[in-house]
Amino acid sequence: MNKTINQKAWYFVIPVFVLVAFNAAVPLMTVVNYSFQETFGNNVFTWEGTRWFKQILQSDRFHAALGRQAMFTSIILLIQIPLGIGIALTMPKKGWGVPVCLILMSMPLLIPWNVVGAMWNIFALPDIGFLGHTLNAIGFDYNFTQQPGDAWFTTILMDVWHWTSLVVLLSYAGLNSIQPAYYQAAEIDGASRWAIFRYIELPKMKKVLTLAILLRFMDSFMIYTEPFVLTGGGPGNTTAFLSIDLVKMALGQFDLGPAAAMSLIYFFIVLLLCWVFYSLMMRNEEKS
Amino acid sequence: MAKITLKDLSHSYLAKQYNNADWALRGVNIDWKDGGAYALLGPSGCGKTTLLNIISGLLKPTSGDILFNDKDVTKLNPVERDIAQIFQFPVIYDTMTVYDNLAFPLKNRGLSEIDIVTKVKEIAEMLELTSTLNNRASGLTADGKQKISLGRGLVRSDVNVIMFDEPLTVIDPHLKWVLRSKLKELHQKINRTMIYVTHDQTEALTFADQVVVMHEGQIVQTGTPVELFEKPKHTFVGHFIGSPGMNILPCRIKNGEINFEGKTLSSNISIKKTSFNKTQIGIRPEFINFSKDGIPVKINRVSNTGRHKIVDTNCSSGNIKILLKASSEIPSGSAHITFNQKYTYVYGDDWIIE
């Protein structure tokens, strides 16, 4: 049977094409445009070549922001992934506890980013906030607005509170899809609890965990609103992660060229790391 | 190696039971002889898997005892009972190689490395897995994976019983035959008690020396395939085994005589109890013949299966199927049939009257 060839079908793609152009391609190209030129307004541009890229890549400020970002993302991944799996493992599999746990777990995910930031800001205030006040009352010298260590601690705690649920829900879904026969077989084979986790649960959760790690990596690497509301990047620049630094450069200092170059570099780093993560985690999948 | 005794075993998945339907198993009593090849046969939902999981210790029975060699094991877990069980779907450890999969139950039991290597090689040889030993188990085909599951059950030399829970469901038909013969062969070689759960009568009859037929949570008959065929002790066995199944028709019992279609059937059984809710006669299609006189029937349809002709007839009590050789002459319209008296049974409330 011959396939009917009808190129008119392409017309159906036009709406999507227009939509994607407006929400992705056009803004991205504007950024590309800015990144190679200098402007002082009035739509007057002068060609700068790769100057902004070189400047950003060599700047200590960018290196420091990137370092803070890498540190932050690593810490929250190291906490949230094991913690999420752990919580998912202890959640009930049937009975009335299931909906209760699921609803409790979904709650933080439903709260808007800026509200989370504001909540934690008030919660952690050293004089009136419940957390801040309690910590000081029991003898810790805690003040997230002035001490970098405390600011980091609070930001990480906030992110763990907000996003661990995502890992929990994904892991829980993965765990629930395991056939009971696997546990029964393991019981008969005399497997220890650790062996069951290591050889049954973890491999069966691999796909959802890959997803969880990718999502958490991307989100945390691009985090903006919550730390902006909580610490505003301070004290000093100690919690100014990449996107906070980028906004400072673009809107605070109005250095549009360097900021555009930085956005592109930022974008490529995220893309590259996602690709690396994904290929690493899916490496064995393709072999078999 | 052990003799397995089940005593008054009942199980329910519900907290409270109000009627028979709430029980998955009702009063199961059976002895499984050491070294026997048993098949547990019954339709889906009859309690086969429940019974199997209770023997293996994955489930605790609501009441009753399980004895291995007359020792009570009801409270022991699967590891302490030392049993092997193979499931309907292949269970493999994805991240391990075939070798590690087979070695896993041995490693967990703390065997020495040398013992493990010898054992695994031996089983791999038996199941023709030697060439794939170093491959990742997840890359194998469904039957290869199921062979690994079998292998993990067979690799331990000390098991009391090996249980198979419909293990060939996911296997291609032509490989089913191969694997089933392999199992039969293995049984002869290692001579261990094996219990094979299935809803497929061909599978049960070809694998087992003794077939245990289950129906609605009860064991209705245990016997050799021939016994089940020739003398079903329950109408369900008559229905379920044989193709087509037994003809079961209502009859009346009066003064110890069996009355069917207005005729008294001669029989050598003496019926003492008379207070049955229903009485039926059962006769297999194989044991009915056309004759000059006898029970008048109307012939509705003749289907030819190649080797046999199946004749659908009906009399006033209901439908009767007759199985004849393909070469037989079939009268048309109405005819008379007679039952082979030796294989005609009377059932009171579904149980045979002897």
Side-chain angles (χ1 to χ4, degrees):
Chain A
M1 204 182 85
N2 284 325
K3 269 191 200 162
T4 323
I5 294 171
N6 187 348
Q7 303 290 2
K8 287 193 190 105
W10 287 105
Y11 291 124
F12 289 111
V13 188
I14 289 175
V16 176
F17 186 79
V18 172
L19 216 66
V20 172
F22 270 95
N23 73 23
V26 172
L28 192 68
M29 284 320 292
T30 318
V31 174
V32 172
N33 197 26
Y34 277 117
S35 71
F36 290 103
Q37 305 185 71
E38 171 77 291
T39 178
F40 299 99
N42 292 333
N43 229 8
V44 182
F45 289 93
T46 50
W47 179 256
E48 293 288 347
T50 56
R51 185 175 145 208
W52 304 135
F53 288 95
K54 283 183 190 143
Q55 186 186 316
I56 289 293
L57 285 172
Q58 285 163 1
S59 88
D60 292 338
R61 177 175 163 184
F62 178 72
H63 292 165
L66 186 63
R68 284 191 294 270
Q69 185 65 68
M71 172 79 97
F72 176 76
T73 296
S74 318
I75 291 174
I76 66 107
L77 280 179
L78 282 174
I79 295 173
Q80 287 176 8
I81 300 296
L83 184 65
I85 297 172
I87 294 173
L89 283 172
T90 51
M91 261 164 72
K93 289 210 167 122
K94 55 183 175 190
W96 58 269
V98 176
V100 172
C101 285
L102 288 180
I103 291 169
L104 281 178
M105 281 296 145
S106 324
M107 296 268 245
L109 299 176
L110 300 174
I111 302 175
W113 287 261
N114 53 348
V115 176
V116 172
M119 256 167 62
W120 277 81
N121 187 311
I122 297 163
F123 183 51
L125 280 176
D127 41 5
I128 56 163
F130 180 72
L131 175 74
H133 183 79
T134 313
L135 282 176
N136 280 305
I138 58 174
F140 289 99
D141 175 25
Y142 172 87
N143 188 342
F144 79 94
T145 58
Q146 277 162 23
Q147 293 157 17
D150 294 348
W152 268 79
F153 169 78
T154 317
T155 316
I156 286 164
L157 198 64
M158 173 182 66
D159 200 75
V160 167
W161 177 83
H162 194 183
W163 288 112
T164 305
S165 299
L166 183 76
V167 184
V168 173
L169 294 178
L170 285 169
S171 307
Y172 187 69
L175 281 173
N176 272 355
S177 67
I178 302 175
Q179 299 265 355
Y182 280 91
Y183 292 104
Q184 296 175 334
E187 205 178 332
I188 284 160
D189 287 340
S192 62
R193 183 68 192 87
W194 167 249
I196 291 175
F197 175 69
R198 168 72 186 76
Y199 296 113
I200 296 174
E201 292 172 331
L202 206 54
K204 296 277 169 210
M205 282 196 287
K206 188 173 163 185
K207 289 219 168 89
V208 288
L209 281 181
T210 306
L211 199 65
I213 292 174
L214 273 181
L215 283 175
R216 282 317 299 129
F217 165 74
M218 285 190 291
D219 276 353
S220 69
F221 212 79
M222 299 186 296
I223 193 167
Y224 176 75
T225 316
E226 297 144 286
F228 179 76
V229 178
L230 181 73
T231 63
N237 265 335
T238 48
T239 56
F241 303 121
L242 279 177
S243 52
I244 292 180
D245 201 42
L246 178 65
V247 173
K248 271 188 187 165
M249 191 184 287
L251 303 180
Q253 301 156 225
F254 224 69
D255 284 336
L256 292 182
M262 184 178 164
S263 325
L264 287 178
I265 293 166
Y266 191 2
F267 174 56
F268 283 116
I269 291 173
V270 174
L271 213 59
L272 182 74
L273 286 176
C274 280
W275 177 75
V276 169
F277 266 129
Y278 190 80
S279 341
L280 278 180
M281 287 184 292
M282 287 294 152
R283 196 181 39 183
N284 293 325
E285 214 63 12
E286 276 154 32
K287 258 191 231 160
S288 57
Chain B
M1 302 275 267
K3 178 186 85 174
I4 297 167
T5 315
L6 306 181
K7 262 209 243 159
D8 300 323
L9 211 61
S10 291
H11 187 75
S12 174
Y13 290 101
L14 307 171
K16 279 210 166 87
Q17 304 83 24
Y18 300 100
N19 54 37
N20 284 347
D22 291 343
W23 291 93
L25 287 180
R26 292 186 277 144
V28 170
N29 281 294
I30 192 171
D31 271 313
W32 314 81
K33 286 197 201 73
D34 188 12
Y38 292 92
L40 200 53
L41 180 65
S44 303
C46 73
K48 295 170 301 203
T49 302
T50 307
L51 187 61
L52 210 62
N53 287 346
I54 286 177
I55 299 173
S56 62
L58 293 169
L59 263 182
K60 297 271 172 281
T62 310
S63 67
D65 301 309
I66 304 122
L67 312 174
F68 282 12
N69 283 335
D70 301 317
K71 193 177 141 265
D72 193 341
V73 297
T74 317
K75 292 192 174 64
L76 301 186
N77 66 32
V79 174
E80 293 163 327
R81 288 188 198 188
D82 237 329
I83 48 91
Q85 187 172 357
I86 288 102
F87 299 88
Q88 192 166 2
F89 298 98
V91 175
I92 55 154
Y93 302 105
D94 292 331
T95 52
M96 295 189 198
T97 61
V98 174
Y99 176 91
D100 288 331
N101 259 281
L102 295 176
F104 191 61
L106 300 176
K107 278 184 188 154
N108 289 330
R109 285 169 175 78
L111 261 74
S112 74
E113 197 58 46
I114 304 156
D115 286 348
I116 294 177
V117 173
T118 351
K119 280 269 165 216
V120 170
K121 289 227 165 110
E122 191 187 314
I123 287 297
E125 198 65 46
M126 238 191 261
L127 292 170
E128 290 154 17
L129 284 168
T130 313
S131 59
T132 54
L133 269 182
N134 293 319
N135 295 10
R136 266 169 71 100
S138 56
L140 269 68
T141 53
D143 59 294
K145 286 180 181 172
Q146 194 59 308
K147 274 193 197 170
I148 298 176
S149 299
L150 289 175
R152 280 208 321 276
L154 299 167
V155 76
R156 287 151 52 205
S157 50
D158 54 344
V159 291
N160 285 316
V161 54
I162 306 174
M163 291 178 282
F164 305 91
D165 190 356
E166 310 200 23
L168 303 181
T169 312
V170 291
I171 311 295
D172 284 346
H174 69 282
L175 281 169
K176 262 188 192 174
W177 186 258
V178 178
L179 276 181
R180 201 158 57 222
S181 323
K182 192 110 248 173
L183 281 181
K184 186 86 191 163
E185 189 187 310
L186 278 171
H187 178 254
Q188 276 146 10
K189 207 181 277 178
I190 59 177
N191 201 31
R192 237 169 279 160
T193 316
M194 288 188 180
I195 303 174
Y196 190 104
V197 164
T198 178
H199 61 260
D200 178 344
Q201 49 170 308
T202 324
E203 236 173 80
L205 301 180
T206 49
F207 172 79
D209 311 328
Q210 288 276 313
V211 178
V212 178
V213 184
M214 287 191 73
H215 174 56
E216 292 177 349
Q218 283 181 306
I219 291 176
V220 285
Q221 188 170 4
T222 307
T224 62
V226 175
E227 283 167 359
L228 296 179
F229 182 77
E230 290 186 347
K231 194 178 182 186
K233 293 201 167 154
H234 188 277
T235 51
F236 175 76
V237 181
H239 267 307
F240 197 67
I241 291 177
S243 173
M246 197 181 218
N247 295 300
I248 311 239
L249 299 149
C251 68
R252 287 221 308 270
I253 296 175
K254 230 187 213 169
N255 307 328
E257 283 186 331
I258 305 146
N259 190 295
F260 176 68
E261 291 276 293
K263 289 191 166 61
T264 302
L265 291 185
S266 47
S267 98
N268 36 20
I269 57 164
S270 56
I271 299 158
K272 290 172 194 109
K273 194 182 158 200
T274 49
S275 57
F276 293 108
N277 288 326
K278 61 172 177 184
T279 48
Q280 289 159 309
I281 60 161
I283 175 82
R284 286 206 178 273
E286 287 84 350
F287 303 127
I288 305 176
N289 277 304
F290 287 108
S291 58
K292 288 213 177 70
D293 50 358
I295 300 148
V297 293
K298 204 169 124 277
I299 295 169
N300 295 326
R301 196 159 55 103
V302 180
S303 28
N304 200 327
T305 62
R307 281 169 56 212
H308 297 107
K309 276 180 181 155
I310 299 168
V311 188
D312 268 303
T313 68
N314 74 298
C315 65
S316 52
S317 306
N319 293 328
I320 301 177
K321 281 198 164 87
I322 307 168
L323 190 81
L324 295 165
K325 282 203 194 96
S327 56
S328 318
E329 289 282 320
I330 313 286
S332 58
S334 44
H336 290 89
I337 53 167
T338 46
F339 297 162
N340 184 339
Q341 192 202 322
K342 192 182 164 202
Y343 297 111
T344 310
Y345 299 102
V346 182
Y347 297 91
D349 291 339
D350 288 324
W351 293 92
I352 198 165
I353 305 172
E354 302 183 84

